[in-house]
Amino acid sequence: MTSPTDVTSRRLDLAGTRSFSAPGAGPARRAALAQFGMQWLTELWEEASAGRRLPGVALAAVGSLARRDGGPLSDFDLVLLHQTRALGAADLTALADRLWYPIWDQGVKLDHSVRTVNQCRTVAGADLSAAVGLLDITFVAGEEDVVNAAKSTVAHDWRGNARTRLPQLQEQIAQRHSRQGDLAHLLEPDLKEARGGLRDMTVLRALAAAWLADRPHGAVDAAYEKLLDVRDAVHVVTGRGRDRLAREDHDAAAALLGYHDADQLLTDVSTSARLIAYSLDGTLRRAAQAQRARTLRVGPRRPRMTPLGYGLFLSDGEAVLGPGVEPAGNPLLILRAALVAARNNVSIAPTTLQNLAKNCPPIPTPWPPAALAVFGDLLATGPGLVSVWEGLDLAGVVEKWIPEWAAVRSRPQRNAVHRHTVDRHLIETVVRASGLLREVNRPDLLLLAALLHDIGKVPGSRDHSETGAPIADRVLQRLGVGDEDRALVVQLVREHLTLIDLATRRDGDDPQTIAMVSRAVGGSLDNLDLLRALTEADASAAGPAAWTDWRASLLDKLVTTARAALAEGAPAPDSFREADPVSPDVLSRIAVGQPVVVITPLGGAHRVDVYDRDRLGLFADTAGLLAAQGHIVRSAVVRTLDGIAANEWHVETPGGGAPEEGPLVRGLTRLAGGDREPLAMLSRRRRATASDSSRATSGSPGQTRAMVISHASDSATVIEVRATDRPGLLHDIGITLSRASLSVRSAHIATYAGQALDTFYVTEFGGRPLPPARVAQAVSMIIDTCDGE
């Protein structure tokens, strides 16, 4: 028999005889520990039973010993199983004492129970945690049939009752995660109980055992083994069987596992936890769908497919590719899939994500404008972005788009104000920035700056703002961002800490402080708005310690003072360029009452040039027709020259295809004659969009803003509108202006990251600027129109 003098030392010796960092060392170490534990318990059984056969009695293991993945100092969870009346109560108690006391004498922590098979069934039915644990019950010694009976009975009941117990399991998991936090983002995590920890892998196996949903394999199994390795190292370096990776143990555990430093260890822990958590979320989602399907099914069940656009459909709560949609030859499909999934606050189905990641061709470098536009829309989706980005990252897609992302993925932050790893903080900042899009004139650049502001937090960096600026520049070049816009985003990355540092560490009334703000934003009020929004998004994403009411008030005071100083010398907004001369052929066709439409492909998007006699409502009619035909307006410039409207529209079509000249010409002609039937489809699209939005969780930035740009023009009133883009928005604004008897002399329409930023140069009929009363009326009507949907 194994010497009873020092079982704990023997277990530690087994752990220490194998290098922790050698390939395959972890599974081999745990197998050796399990074998030793089983052998020792078998010997204890032989001694406790005096070598006699005890009919109807057996010793069984649950927990890590049963799974054969226990650590050097893990507890033993044992069950003394017996059939009714197999032994008398006194004999059973004596047998248990002869088993348990030697284990305690060795200093091994023990969780023990004495039960019949029916009692196991009763306990599993009443206690969800016990049910999950008993699914792993494994024979140790005695009558194996007794253990097999308990195992099969518990498994049968688990499968039979899983449908009704799943909501309780989900609630229990959520409560545990709320108590223990997210393992991926904790500096002192509980490796077992936190979200993405070892306990979640046990739940994954239990869900698979319920036959509600299969669980992922491969990468998630490797992640589990990684966490087990770290747990084993904690046992060895602390000499205790605990599961918390304390700060004081980081260096020792990292050295034992062969890491250069503790940050590398925490990065691997975070990556593994993220993969387990993501796998559990997806498996729970599919299990819930299976549960609902079993409840509601009457006869054969056909999948319900709700179109999302771009060939994607909503099926069982996930975005999936529709029949016949081939990723090969469509490099933007994965971007568009991510966009529609995030907008609808759902994840991309794992098989669909794998298919897209494997088969979508690389996006050409630099990215074409259509790709950059979709990427901007993706970043603007709000909270729905988080889970979709996580899936893309775990599938390796994000690193293909942004190779520099690998350096910050799962990287820990030891600053006490931060609650997330670097990469997750970047995404949280983007989400926070999506709620501030109305505060700035270039929402797309704000979102890019939010995504990249901490990209310089790489190993060895001393000033991540300075380090990150050239890294951001490389990323933006690859994404196809123009030179002027790229320079601005790089400046925002470089200066993203300037405002909060000055607000909290300098005198905001000192002229030198204001001079530093001016230099940081290049003397531009628009840039000041961008930097202020980025500062708030960054601080609020970091955590409550970084964004207090006091810090917010200091920032507001500094920005208000700086804005007043900059406004004294602020340049007037740029005027629009004149329209190009209209060709004689176009003029001759317009003269006989025929509009002219010219379609030009632009690599995934289309330019639509519309020429017609200028008339009240032409702008609204054109916008309405484009929306009715399923086109999304990316930008537009509306100009008038000598009574001829020359309007340039840039559109994209989620459903595929291209704008057609004939329907647009016929539609404009009928609308000019008073026939509104060409816009009937727009109402149907609005109803569909309203239905879709009820499923989505919006990062709504608030109500519409409409404001007058003072001194922007001497001959017209300039109104800027900031609103959430939607089908027919431009049409609605145009109709509103027409009803107010206002002419759109010129306009600049832009859609950045799902936000409409539209500037209208309007006059009264006769070409005069609006008097104050009419301005107030127009602004009020526009706001009511935009917020009325």
Side-chain angles (χ1 to χ4, degrees), residues 586 588-597 611-613 661 665 669:
V586 169
S588 63
R589 293 165 64 182
I590 293 174
V592 296
Q594 181 181 353
V596 176
V597 176
Y611 302 91
D612 200 355
R613 289 177 178 172
E661 176 183 336
V665 169
T669 303

Side-chain angles (χ1 to χ4, degrees), residues 319-624:
V320 301
L321 279 180
V325 180
E326 293 294 336
N330 191 346
L332 269 60
L333 183 58
I334 193 165
L335 262 176
R336 288 167 169 154
L339 172 62
V340 297
R343 276 182 172 169
N344 288 273
N345 201 27
V346 298
S347 296
I348 304 174
T351 53
T352 295
L353 185 55
Q354 293 170 9
N355 183 13
L356 292 170
K358 180 180 179 181
N359 297 312
C360 278
I363 300 174
T365 304
W367 284 17
L372 180 60
V374 177
F375 188 64
D377 287 349
L378 172 62
L379 296 182
T381 51
L385 173 67
V386 176
S387 63
V388 171
W389 189 273
E390 183 79 345
L392 293 170
D393 195 17
L394 292 174
V397 175
V398 172
E399 193 171 337
K400 291 180 181 178
W401 295 344
I402 307 174
E404 296 81 0
W405 196 261
V408 297
R409 180 187 295 113
S410 299
R411 185 162 180 78
Q413 303 202 75
R414 297 184 178 273
N415 188 324
V417 304
H418 278 284
R419 56 184 173 178
H420 296 114
T421 54
V422 175
D423 60 328
R424 176 60 181 273
H425 170 69
L426 292 174
I427 296 304
E428 291 289 339
T429 303
V430 171
V431 172
R432 298 294 179 128
S434 71
L436 300 170
L437 300 184
R438 300 286 168 75
E439 309 292 334
V440 300
N441 72 327
R442 288 298 302 272
D444 56 332
L445 302 189
L446 172 61
L447 294 173
L448 287 172
L451 181 69
L452 300 174
H453 75 279
D454 276 354
I455 199 71
K457 286 186 174 179
V458 296
S461 173
R462 296 191 176 211
D463 183 343
H464 71 273
S465 300
E466 287 296 332
T467 302
I471 297 176
D473 189 58
R474 292 197 301 272
V475 173
L476 296 167
Q477 288 186 53
R478 195 179 303 113
L479 296 181
V481 179
D483 292 346
E484 185 175 342
D485 288 347
R486 189 173 74 248
L488 177 52
V489 175
V490 169
Q491 183 72 358
L492 291 171
V493 170
R494 181 178 286 110
E495 302 290 349
H496 76 270
L497 295 176
T498 297
L499 288 183
I500 199 66
D501 284 347
L502 292 176
T504 57
R505 301 177 185 178
R506 298 289 188 272
D507 181 355
D509 294 322
D510 191 305
Q512 288 297 323
T513 302
I514 303 304
M516 285 188 280
V517 174
S518 179
R519 285 195 294 271
V521 300
S524 165
L525 284 167
D526 288 340
N527 293 357
L528 178 62
D529 290 339
L530 283 166
L531 189 57
R532 192 253 179 251
L534 177 60
T535 301
E536 178 178 340
D538 181 19
S540 58
W547 189 242
T548 63
D549 291 342
W550 173 72
R551 291 169 70 89
S553 66
L554 291 179
L555 178 64
D556 287 340
K557 181 178 183 297
L558 175 65
V559 171
T560 299
T561 304
R563 183 185 304 281
L566 292 175
E568 294 179 2
D574 292 337
S575 59
F576 301 114
R577 68 177 177 87
E578 293 294 330
D580 295 328
V582 180
S583 69
D585 177 60
V586 169
L587 289 174
S588 63
R589 293 165 64 182
I590 293 174
V592 296
Q594 181 181 353
V596 176
V597 176
V598 179
I599 310 294
T600 307
L602 295 174
H606 293 82
R607 171 174 166 171
V608 181
D609 289 290
V610 177
Y611 302 91
D612 200 355
R613 289 177 178 172
D614 190 28
R615 59 178 172 82
L616 201 63
L618 174 61
F619 166 77
D621 289 346
T622 307

